[in-house]
Amino acid sequence: MEAAERVACEDLVMFVNAAVAATSQREFRTGGDAQRMSLDFLHEYVRTNYRGLYAATLALDINDHNAARIIEGLLTTAAADRVEGRLIARRLQRLPPQRVYRLILQLRAKRVNNRRTRAVVRDWVAARPDLAFDAVKYRRGLAAAAGHAHLRLPDEVGAVLYDWRSVQRYRTPILEAWRKAHYDQRAVYELPYTVAEGFAAKHGIDRQRFLAGIRAKLTARERMRLDADLGAATLTRLASYVLSLGHDERRRRRDELTEALRQQARRAAGAQAGTWGSVVGVLDDSYSSSGSAVKRQRPLGVALGTHYLLEALSPQYNSCWINHRGDPLLVRAAGPTRLGERILDGLAMRPDRLVIVSDGWDNAPPGLAAEVLRVWRERLDRDGGTEVVHLNPVYDSETFDVRRLAPEVPTVGVRDAEDAAALVELARFGAGTASLGDLRAHLAARVERFLQR
């Protein structure tokens, strides 16, 4: 592989790692401002030099924050081809509506209002299933979309956005409930929870009485947050919820919580459940896995979720937590990062695949993990009998990438444990052995599946 191709391949893998793991928020070791500056440069660099591949990453399992940034960057600059427009439209359909409306507000603030942007906004708004619902839940965003893209809205929706008092009674039930909720407490319970919450505060409704009355309107995510509905959460959210509980409650609810985690893991594994060979997971529960104030215990939550996912994927699975022993449900973030020792323990089992979930800060002693992996690959496993993959949930703003353990080991960023299986597939491009042509072919196949889904 020529030097230019190798650099391009490394650049793209680095960007995908960042787009999966980075959210411009504070991490354990770096601040949010540093992340934002690092991501700003990375997005600009990759969009300028590899625009087609930059757009193609919308088809990958990148996080919503970076998907919105990619769309904003593509719409702000001149269009490349039709596929780019289809990728933008398809990814917008997958984004949460509040994030899309926030993106539209950002485009308006930057005065990005070219013909393609107006068409994209128009088509997305036209595809919304219930504009009346959006008018009360995302009122500011819908008003910005309508004004910025010069949209014609249904009469009642337009009235709610711009002059709601001009209509004495709305025919649309949710709009009429929103109008009445300004002065009638009973109408509050006919609204979506996030809208009703503001009216409840305005009317001074007791919190417990309000929650009891609004329960039927809760979304799955809201039920998870308020009612601890275990079946409504994704694997990573469920793992984070478990970690938020005290040890006594986790012990008391051990069977319930463990079964819920395993059920979500089986769902995430899908058709791959039980198809992997022998697997060992080396899982980081050191103090740094506690995350930050804005991403509390997120790295540890990813590790715990990945533990249950690997258990579902492999009928011969063993886990090696860095510090914890016993029931993984009781894991907590504490102690140094003894990665080298635990990697050695995992390799001693001779698994088909060793999956490491860690922020990559090997410090007890520093560099031991890299040396263990080097000696293993060069002297003990020259034929590659054990595939080693490093999943890193923490973006390192100084290197514009996720921190790596060793040059011989492919490292990919991970945001959600449920994406781990797909990311292991992507990891081969981070090993330095795949060509730019291989990466282009992989992205082309993912784009085709994404657009046909």
Side-chain angles (χ1 to χ4, degrees):
M1 182 167 49
E2 296 182 3
E5 283 200 357
R6 184 170 62 253
V7 169
C9 194
E10 290 173 354
D11 286 347
L12 263 296
V13 171
M14 176 176 65
F15 176 70
V16 171
N17 284 342
V20 169
T23 56
S24 295
Q25 295 173 307
R26 181 173 179 79
E27 299 283 6
F28 183 82
R29 290 183 171 86
T30 59
D33 290 341
Q35 266 213 32
R36 278 188 291 274
M37 291 177 62
S38 180
L39 275 178
D40 285 345
F41 169 80
L42 199 54
H43 276 266
E44 182 72 21
Y45 172 76
V46 176
R47 187 180 70 248
T48 301
N49 291 281
Y50 314 103
R51 183 176 180 117
L53 297 176
Y54 179 75
T57 59
L58 289 172
L60 301 180
D61 296 316
I62 62 175
N63 64 49
D64 292 343
H65 173 72
N66 283 292
R69 290 193 65 154
I70 291 171
I71 293 170
E72 181 182 346
L74 294 174
L75 292 177
T76 302
T77 53
D81 53 36
R82 271 190 75 249
V83 173
E84 182 178 296
R86 293 175 62 202
L87 282 166
I88 291 172
R90 185 73 183 91
R91 188 72 197 210
L92 283 173
Q93 292 174 1
R94 288 186 56 184
L95 287 175
Q98 64 270 25
R99 193 174 288 275
V100 179
Y101 281 124
R102 194 182 311 148
L103 171 61
I104 293 169
L105 286 166
Q106 291 167 350
L107 291 170
R108 186 181 69 168
K110 293 182 177 182
R111 298 185 178 181
V112 179
N113 199 25
N114 51 60
R115 185 171 64 179
R116 183 169 69 140
T117 298
R118 292 196 301 273
V120 165
V121 173
R122 180 197 64 221
D123 292 346
W124 182 81
V125 171
R128 293 295 296 152
D130 189 350
L131 280 182
F133 177 89
D134 284 17
V136 299
K137 185 161 185 176
Y138 311 112
R139 191 162 175 254
R140 183 165 169 257
L142 181 56
H148 197 56
H150 313 302
L151 305 179
R152 289 186 61 85
L153 298 173
D155 292 342
E156 289 196 335
V157 171
V160 163
L161 295 181
Y162 303 116
D163 188 13
W164 66 271
R165 290 183 177 87
S166 64
V167 178
Q168 292 186 349
R169 183 178 181 84
Y170 290 94
R171 296 185 304 276
T172 308
I174 192 171
L175 300 183
E176 176 62 10
W178 182 83
R179 183 190 69 82
K180 291 169 63 177
H182 285 81
Y183 57 85
D184 184 353
Q185 292 188 17
R186 292 171 299 180
V188 170
Y189 301 105
E190 301 173 33
L191 295 171
Y193 166 72
T194 51
V195 179
E197 199 169 27
F199 282 112
K202 175 184 175 181
H203 292 303
I205 301 173
D206 176 75
R207 181 68 176 171
Q208 294 305 314
R209 182 162 65 89
F210 167 68
L211 291 177
I214 202 67
R215 197 166 304 279
K217 293 290 185 179
L218 297 178
T219 64
R221 185 171 176 180
E222 289 162 352
R223 287 199 307 275
M224 174 62 201
R225 188 170 72 247
L226 296 173
D227 291 347
D229 184 350
L230 304 184
T234 63
L235 178 59
T236 305
R237 290 190 185 281
L238 181 56
S240 296
Y241 167 74
V242 168
L243 293 174
S244 73
L245 304 175
H247 273 195
D248 288 344
E249 184 170 359
R250 288 190 231 175
R251 288 190 185 95
R252 181 171 56 81
R253 301 172 59 189
R254 176 181 280 117
D255 293 344
E256 173 198 6
L257 296 174
T258 301
E259 178 54 32
L261 284 162
R262 285 175 172 160
Q263 182 178 346
Q264 292 299 340
R266 289 191 295 268
R267 183 179 300 173
Q272 294 189 66
T275 62
W276 286 18
S278 59
V279 175
V280 170
V282 176
L283 308 163
D284 190 346
D285 60 345
S286 63
Y287 181 64
S288 62
S289 68
S290 61
S292 65
V294 292
K295 301 178 76 173
R296 195 175 300 278
Q297 299 207 85
R298 181 77 189 197
L300 185 59
V302 172
L304 182 61
T306 303
H307 163 82
Y308 286 99
L309 178 64
L310 295 177
E311 182 185 67
L313 290 167
S314 170
Q316 303 174 58
Y317 170 67
N318 290 284
S319 63
C320 292
W321 291 91
I322 289 180
N323 298 302
H324 180 72
R325 302 294 184 271
D327 189 347
L329 202 70
L330 302 178
V331 69
R332 65 188 182 94
T337 313
R338 300 187 184 91
L339 265 177
E341 294 178 16
R342 301 306 279 153
I343 290 173
L344 199 57
D345 292 339
L347 291 173
M349 301 180 200
R350 294 278 180 169
D352 297 323
R353 181 175 282 155
L354 182 83
V355 179
I356 305 166
V357 183
S358 170
D359 62 9
W361 286 88
D362 175 39
N363 56 23
L368 178 60
E371 188 63 13
V372 167
L373 291 166
R374 182 189 67 80
V375 172
W376 173 262
R377 184 62 71 220
E378 292 181 0
R379 300 185 181 180
L380 303 175
D381 189 34
R382 293 178 181 175
D383 60 350
T386 296
E387 177 189 1
V388 182
V389 178
H390 175 206
L391 303 181
N392 193 327
V394 179
Y395 177 67
D396 183 7
S397 56
E398 292 186 3
T399 63
F400 304 99
D401 202 349
V402 291
R403 190 176 180 87
R404 296 172 181 273
L405 285 173
E408 303 84 7
V409 175
T411 300
V412 292
V414 59
R415 166 72 175 164
D416 297 309
E418 49 268 31
D419 298 330
L423 292 171
V424 167
E425 176 190 356
L426 185 67
R428 62 192 177 96
F429 297 106
T433 55
S435 68
L436 181 60
D438 294 334
L439 180 56
R440 287 184 183 276
H442 175 77
L443 284 174
R446 290 294 298 268
V447 166
E448 184 176 0
R449 291 204 305 269
F450 181 73
L451 293 178
Q452 291 179 352
R453 191 177 303 166

